[in-house]
Amino acid sequence: MQQTDIRILATELVQLLGPKDWAIGGSFLLQCYGIEPQARDLDLVCTLERFEQFKTLLSQYAHAVPVSLHPIYRSKGFARFSKNGLVIELMAGIQVLKDDGLQQFLFQPEKTSWQQGLPLMQLADWLELYQLFERPKRVKQLQQYLDDTTHTITTNR
């Protein structure tokens, strides 16, 4: 899938879902910041209250893909869709089963950053999610970017 295709799809989702209670994360978020050259899918995080509504809208827009139970992911809302070969995942009430019980991530829609007409999650939130999802390569990649950005900002003062 071409980079423009995923951006077009993301823009169409803003029209479909409206401007509130959801945001884009995952590899497309990283691509928007130039951290990742090519997004593999589109990860959407939304409020639990709007999950069923968004799921219904997405099922009219894209093909619903069956999801099997994951050994550690226990989100209260999770759905997968496919559109033109691109996977779209919708998540709400994100929880991961750890040795010491369920760890939760609280999505705060007010922290959404609008860039180029797209609602993007905070990179720091995805750092937290990648840590929760036990994705060490992504954690390192994002941590390095955030450290470099922080360093650059403080050096230029």
Side-chain angles (χ1 to χ4, degrees), residues 1-153:
M1 171 145 282
Q2 295 295 320
Q3 186 172 347
T4 50
D5 294 342
I6 196 169
R7 186 170 290 280
I8 289 166
L9 208 77
T11 305
E12 288 175 0
L13 290 176
V14 173
Q15 299 302 310
L16 179 74
L17 303 177
K20 293 163 60 168
D21 300 325
W22 70 282
I24 296 167
S27 61
F28 183 66
L29 172 67
L30 300 188
Q31 180 183 317
C32 289
Y33 280 92
I35 302 167
E36 183 64 36
Q38 183 63 53
R40 294 181 313 280
D41 58 5
L42 202 50
D43 292 322
L44 313 177
V45 178
C46 70
T47 60
L48 202 51
E49 297 75 29
R50 299 287 300 273
F51 177 78
E52 289 301 328
Q53 180 189 0
F54 289 159
K55 184 178 164 183
T56 301
L57 289 168
L58 281 165
S59 67
Q60 295 164 2
Y61 171 80
H63 174 71
V65 177
V67 179
S68 54
L69 186 66
H70 191 278
I72 66 163
Y73 299 163
R74 295 285 184 269
S75 296
K76 292 176 183 171
F78 184 85
R80 184 175 289 139
F81 304 90
S82 179
K83 175 88 170 177
N84 302 333
L86 179 79
V87 172
I88 302 166
E89 292 185 339
L90 178 67
M91 300 168 248
I94 297 172
Q95 308 183 117
V96 176
L97 188 61
K98 298 286 189 177
D99 292 338
D100 56 352
L102 281 176
Q103 286 189 16
Q104 300 183 351
F105 170 81
L106 178 65
F107 172 60
Q108 299 170 292
E110 65 276 7
K111 289 170 67 179
T112 301
S113 167
W114 282 84
Q115 295 181 29
Q116 298 178 344
L118 298 174
L120 302 180
M121 287 183 67
Q122 297 294 319
L123 287 172
D125 287 344
W126 270 88
L127 177 61
E128 184 182 333
L129 280 167
Y130 283 139
Q131 289 167 334
L132 201 58
F133 295 156
E134 297 177 4
R135 304 275 303 276
K137 181 177 167 256
R138 286 285 191 214
V139 168
K140 186 178 179 186
Q141 182 184 32
L142 198 44
Q143 188 65 63
Q144 188 169 1
Y145 176 84
L146 290 170
D147 290 349
D148 290 349
T149 306
T150 305
H151 178 70
T152 305
I153 292 167

